[in-house]
Amino acid sequence: MAELSTGKQITWCSGCGNFGILNAFKQSVLHLLEEGIRKEGIVITCGIGCHGKIFDYLHLSGMYCLHGRALVTAEGIKLANPELKVISFGGDGDSLGEGLEHTLFAAKRNFDLTLILHNNGNYGLTTGQFSPLSNAGYKGLSTPRGNIEQPFNAVTLLMEAGASFVARGYSVRIDHLSGLIRQAIHHKGFSFIEVLQPCVTYNNTYQYLNQRIKLLETVPVKEQQARELARSEEETYIGVFRQTDLPVYHDLLYNDTNPWRNRLNSTQRKARGLL
Amino acid sequence: MNKHYGVPANVSVAALAIFCAINGLSKELMYRMISSEYKRNVSENIAYADAIYELIEDKGDGLDSDAVPAEYHYLSGNQAIVLGAWTAGLDFYYGYPMTPASSLLHDVALKQNTHQMFGIHAESELAAVNMALGSALAGCRSAVGSSGGGFALIQEAFSLAGMAEIPLLCILSSRPGPSTGVSTYTAQEDLWFALNQGHGEFSRVVASPDQHSRVFSLAAELLTLAWEAQTPTILLTEKHLSEGMLRLELDAAALPEAELLPQDTNEVYQRYWITAEGISPLRFFGDAGVVIKWSSHEHLESGLRTDQAEAMVEMKDKRNRKSRLLAELTKRYQRVAEYGIGEHLVFAYGSTVMELREAQKHCPIPFRIVAPVYLEPFPEEELEQYRGRRAVVVEHSSTGGFARFLNWKLQLEVKRSILQYDGRPFDPLDLATIIQEALRG
């Protein structure tokens, strides 16, 4: 694991769910490296929020992007060089608030990327305001009388938007989560993992989730069933809700070209002529 | 024309015939255009156009189609931008439709197969510009463009490009504002918007082409400067030039190339290695043996985030050193254009210069047009001779932003600020009269 660390001091709260995500991700990357994927071929992007700090803890190439724009930046990277494995980290405010349109469009396009959504149900970095995934009634600094909105369901939302791989994990179940991340990265197409991540300071859901978590043994065959399981009020299912093969954006755009590898430099362009 | 065409004259066919005749396009091409664009009365339309074409030809007003050399191209300003940027190395253009910048996207999309260049219609300008930055991180040259409203959304990531030191060419094609404004007309209300684009302090380049042929070279220069200084650049233009078409002679061989990058001599790669010029070597995702960390936060040389006082100052100073570098780098190019001679000075920038040059032909008092092409960094050396002088300033603005700019930079004494803000170009004869009065007064 050491080769994946930058050595930067970690400033998440003690007990933060982000530790589980960091460890699960490192495990997955080590597996990928063992499988022969080059470390330089893995690129990460993140937004702004508690989740984003993961960028500075991972000794991997990438970009610490603007709030909400990590996924769309990842799209630009992937289009320029489709050989790269591009993984984007997002918070619930980041990916489903400020960056909602980008998340839905990346799924709609079935862009060959992975989005790991750190769902802690609030804006932890900016001191606990309600997020697009906070439950109704959630009390934060901007909603002192309780959240009057209903939350999105991230899994069904992304299924509807067109993501071809949709899963949910729990930051406490590190091995399970690491397996999901590996599957997601191997999946050709848009892969989405909602990670339930307790926030010890503003939204401590450890007890609640520990009691409710249930493992999905297999991918539901029917969409309707997948949706019902994702929305279940009694249990919180983790596992893969959808896994399907669909054409991906860059293949449809330019087949097997690689714009970076095949790019003509200016001198070559001049030799070819303008029209 | 009734003998050729029994129904009331079709004005658009007539306009096409006049255009073809004046510009020396062949009759055969004109026939093809009519056949493909007009579904009804094709033979009548062709006969009608034919007669108009011959009238112009007989008068000797048109160009001989055989005499037009091959290196001449009929291009809109936007098409010339695309060709200039492509020659210098552009790979990706990301956009979202907004007149008068939309045709940049259309033109790049059309060229995918012929030029290996990709035009991507994103979900918003916010998406477009962040995608463009992403592609640059993987080594491809990218650009975005819009009009004022879309550019307001680009602004967020423009600032990111300044902080993270990502090369980016932006095209801002103005129309009357504020807000949605008037979609299909021209204006120059965005000068200060371009100069002050993006929150926070960082170096950038803003330049505005004074004629169609300059668009081609300027797009290449601005892409090259963006990659040399690893900072965003803006090609500021207007509807009038973006969508107006002219016959242009294009010399691709003379264009600069956005290719030469500083070599990395460090043992361990650091994205933000502090250097005397402020430029750190660029490596791209996928390059063997390097970890490349870009950041929107203030950062250390390694790219890791920082809020330490000393590190903040060092990194800001590093970025600010690029202003000096850009002032030098832009000297390779024509930063100021002048037309005519004489003691009387008339200042303009952008496509207004084209209108002014028409007016110049009709004004009995000779005057010199001074047109800064580069606005930031300001071409001090070339313009020093005009410091404190009296001059007329012409622009498409209701508040005289360019006159204010010149007064600030050169302490120019603005004798008369000639403004037009109805979205239309100046009538050259009217403008000549107004300038004549101003110069006499």
Side-chain angles (χ1 to χ4, degrees):
Chain A
M1 303 277 254
E3 63 166 308
L4 292 179
S5 299
T6 57
K8 192 177 168 82
Q9 189 197 352
I10 296 185
T11 57
W12 287 321
C13 305
S14 163
C16 175
N18 273 315
F19 286 97
I21 301 176
L22 175 63
N23 288 330
F25 184 73
K26 281 184 178 173
Q27 259 186 40
S28 316
V29 171
L30 287 178
H31 267 280
L32 294 172
L33 298 181
E34 280 168 21
E35 289 169 18
I37 291 178
R38 290 188 322 130
K39 187 179 170 188
E40 297 90 337
I42 300 172
V43 174
I44 57 173
T45 70
C46 69
I48 302 298
C50 283
H51 82 275
K53 294 182 175 184
I54 201 168
F55 182 85
D56 274 358
Y57 307 145
L58 286 166
H59 193 55
L60 288 169
S61 289
M63 166 102 186
Y64 207 142
C65 301
L66 291 175
H67 184 59
R69 318 283 174 231
L71 191 55
V72 78
T73 309
E75 290 180 52
I77 296 168
K78 183 75 183 183
L79 265 192
N81 185 350
E83 282 169 30
L84 301 170
K85 296 273 184 199
V86 191
I87 299 116
S88 190
F89 298 94
D92 41 333
D94 188 84
S95 301
L96 297 178
E98 192 86 49
L100 176 66
E101 61 166 353
H102 309 312
T103 303
L104 297 184
F105 271 85
K108 170 182 184 279
R109 296 176 180 129
N110 195 31
F111 229 102
D112 188 19
L113 300 168
T114 298
L115 171 60
I116 298 174
L117 181 89
H118 302 222
N119 174 11
N120 64 0
N122 81 103
Y123 285 68
L125 192 69
T126 54
T127 64
Q129 298 88 345
F130 86 115
S131 89
L133 296 181
S134 296
N135 288 327
Y138 174 89
K139 284 189 179 172
L141 289 174
S142 61
T143 52
R145 289 172 296 134
N147 173 19
I148 54 174
E149 301 176 20
Q150 291 297 322
F152 286 128
N153 182 304
V155 166
T156 55
L157 182 66
L158 270 288
M159 283 174 72
E160 191 53 47
S164 52
F165 179 98
V166 181
R168 185 190 280 150
Y170 180 29
S171 62
V172 171
R173 304 280 184 96
I174 292 176
D175 289 345
H176 177 256
L177 178 58
S178 168
L180 290 180
I181 294 172
R182 276 208 312 283
Q183 274 182 273
I185 294 174
H186 279 308
H187 174 77
K188 185 158 185 186
F190 188 73
S191 49
F192 171 73
I193 306 172
E194 176 194 17
V195 186
L196 303 170
Q197 177 222 322
C199 169
V200 286
T201 305
Y202 299 109
N203 191 27
N204 193 336
T205 50
Y206 277 115
Q207 258 195 334
Y208 171 81
L209 287 173
N210 286 343
Q211 286 164 4
R212 287 173 53 99
I213 287 290
K214 212 163 173 191
L215 215 60
L216 264 182
E217 300 292 347
T218 55
V219 183
V221 182
K222 293 199 168 152
E223 289 278 310
Q224 184 57 28
Q225 192 195 0
R227 282 168 219 271
E228 280 167 13
L229 289 166
R231 285 203 191 99
S232 169
E233 306 230 326
E234 291 76 38
E235 280 106 2
T236 301
Y237 284 95
I238 56 172
V240 181
F241 290 86
R242 177 198 275 169
Q243 184 165 22
T244 177
D245 284 330
L246 292 172
V248 302
Y249 188 91
H250 69 264
D251 281 345
L252 292 173
L253 181 70
Y254 51 60
N255 297 316
D256 52 1
T257 313
N258 180 319
W260 159 238
R261 286 210 181 284
N262 304 336
R263 86 175 283 273
L264 300 173
N265 67 32
S266 183
T267 313
Q268 291 165 320
R269 292 171 195 222
K270 287 176 181 177
R272 265 179 56 159
L274 290 176
L275 295 171
Chain B
M1 289 298 146
N2 282 351
K3 70 173 176 174
H4 298 290
Y5 200 173
V7 294
N10 183 338
V11 179
S12 64
V13 173
L16 179 66
I18 294 167
F19 175 82
C20 290
I22 287 180
N23 288 296
L25 297 182
S26 71
K27 272 188 177 179
E28 289 67 34
L29 181 61
M30 180 176 77
Y31 300 157
R32 283 220 311 277
M33 286 193 270
I34 293 172
S35 311
S36 76
E37 296 300 320
Y38 295 88
K39 302 301 171 211
R40 284 183 295 169
N41 306 329
V42 173
S43 56
E44 288 91 336
N45 277 324
I46 285 179
Y48 176 58
D50 214 42
I52 293 171
Y53 190 103
E54 275 169 19
L55 271 178
I56 295 168
E57 221 176 21
D58 292 348
K59 275 181 71 188
D61 285 350
L63 272 177
D64 182 357
S65 58
D66 296 331
V68 179
E71 57 273 23
Y72 276 70
H73 304 277
Y74 286 94
L75 295 172
S76 69
N78 281 352
Q79 287 173 317
I81 289 173
V82 169
L83 277 181
W86 175 79
T87 307
L90 186 73
D91 302 297
F92 283 93
Y93 178 85
Y94 294 95
Y96 184 88
M98 185 170 187
T99 307
S102 306
S103 54
L104 291 162
L105 176 60
H106 307 164
D107 195 51
V108 177
L110 260 183
K111 288 185 161 66
Q112 179 172 327
N113 291 336
T114 50
H115 292 69
Q116 278 179 252
M117 172 166 53
F118 304 95
I120 309 293
H121 175 164
E123 63 267 32
S124 67
E125 292 85 350
L126 290 163
V129 63
N130 284 283
M131 285 179 178
L133 295 179
S135 293
L137 307 188
C140 287
R141 280 59 171 164
S142 57
V144 291
S146 190
S147 197
F151 221 83
L153 299 181
I154 287 171
Q155 172 141 229
E156 181 192 50
F158 190 88
S159 173
L160 168 62
M163 168 57 100
E165 305 193 39
I166 307 174
L168 178 70
L169 169 64
C170 304
I171 297 119
L172 168 51
S173 179
S174 283
R175 67 194 214 186
S179 182
T180 312
V182 185
S183 315
T184 56
Y185 289 85
T186 202
Q188 293 185 301
E189 296 177 40
D190 297 327
L191 172 63
W192 289 85
F193 179 56
L195 293 168
N196 294 298
Q197 184 70 206
H199 59 282
E201 298 166 334
F202 57 95
S203 315
R204 81 281 308 278
V205 181
V206 180
S208 186
D210 60 308
Q211 51 171 308
H212 262 82
S213 57
R214 182 100 54 211
V215 171
F216 179 67
S217 53
L218 195 59
E221 290 168 17
L222 289 171
L223 185 70
T224 304
L225 288 166
W227 280 79
E228 286 173 328
Q230 299 173 27
T231 206
T233 61
I234 299 178
L235 192 155
L236 173 65
T237 185
E238 309 87 21
K239 192 268 172 193
H240 190 164
L241 206 155
S242 268
E243 296 196 326
M245 294 190 81
L246 274 184
R247 193 183 61 246
L248 303 174
E249 185 183 5
L250 305 178
D251 180 11
L255 295 193
E257 306 184 354
E259 302 290 346
L260 285 175
L261 304 173
Q263 290 299 304
D264 184 18
T265 52
N266 274 356
E267 248 174 61
V268 176
Y269 179 73
Q270 304 215 81
R271 167 71 280 262
Y272 300 109
W273 179 36
I274 293 177
T275 62
E277 284 191 321
I279 306 299
S280 322
L282 271 180
R283 301 293 295 269
F284 303 118
F285 292 153
D287 281 3
V290 287
V291 168
I292 310 160
K293 292 187 94 73
W294 300 78
S295 188
S296 67
H297 284 284
E298 190 55 275
H299 40 256
L300 304 169
E301 288 181 298
S302 62
L304 297 184
R305 175 185 176 181
T306 189
D307 51 13
Q308 295 163 8
E310 203 178 312
M312 281 175 66
V313 171
E314 273 180 7
M315 206 46 81
K316 257 194 194 308
D317 288 345
K318 167 203 193 288
R319 287 192 297 271
N320 289 346
R321 284 200 286 280
K322 293 182 188 180
S323 292
R324 222 166 41 225
L325 175 71
L326 284 167
E328 283 305 310
L329 290 174
T330 51
K331 283 181 189 164
R332 295 170 298 181
Y333 309 127
Q334 186 176 352
R335 299 197 297 186
V336 177
E338 296 198 6
Y339 304 96
I341 49 165
E343 281 304 292
H344 295 299
L345 301 177
V346 181
F347 277 75
Y349 77 101
S351 59
T352 305
V353 179
M354 296 159 72
E355 299 158 32
L356 194 51
R357 288 173 69 190
E358 280 301 306
Q360 195 178 35
K361 295 178 193 166
H362 304 285
C363 184
I365 306 177
F367 59 85
R368 179 189 312 197
I369 299 170
V370 184
V373 176
Y374 280 80
L375 300 156
E376 171 63 38
F378 191 71
E380 308 262 356
E381 289 81 354
E382 294 91 325
L383 293 173
E384 188 53 40
Q385 54 181 314
Y386 302 120
R387 188 169 298 279
R389 293 272 302 271
R390 293 187 80 196
V392 171
V393 182
V394 184
E395 59 188 302
H396 285 279
S397 148
S398 63
T399 61
F402 185 52
R404 245 179 3 260
F405 176 73
L406 292 170
N407 181 263
W408 171 47
K409 289 287 190 184
L410 287 176
Q411 292 77 51
L412 207 70
E413 190 191 322
V414 181
K415 190 174 181 177
R416 177 86 180 266
S417 173
I418 301 175
L419 307 174
Q420 181 153 320
Y421 44 95
D422 60 359
R424 277 74 179 165
F426 282 99
D427 179 300
L429 295 178
D430 290 350
L431 184 56
T433 309
I434 300 168
I435 290 174
Q436 191 185 351
E437 284 166 11
L439 294 178
R440 273 200 192 122

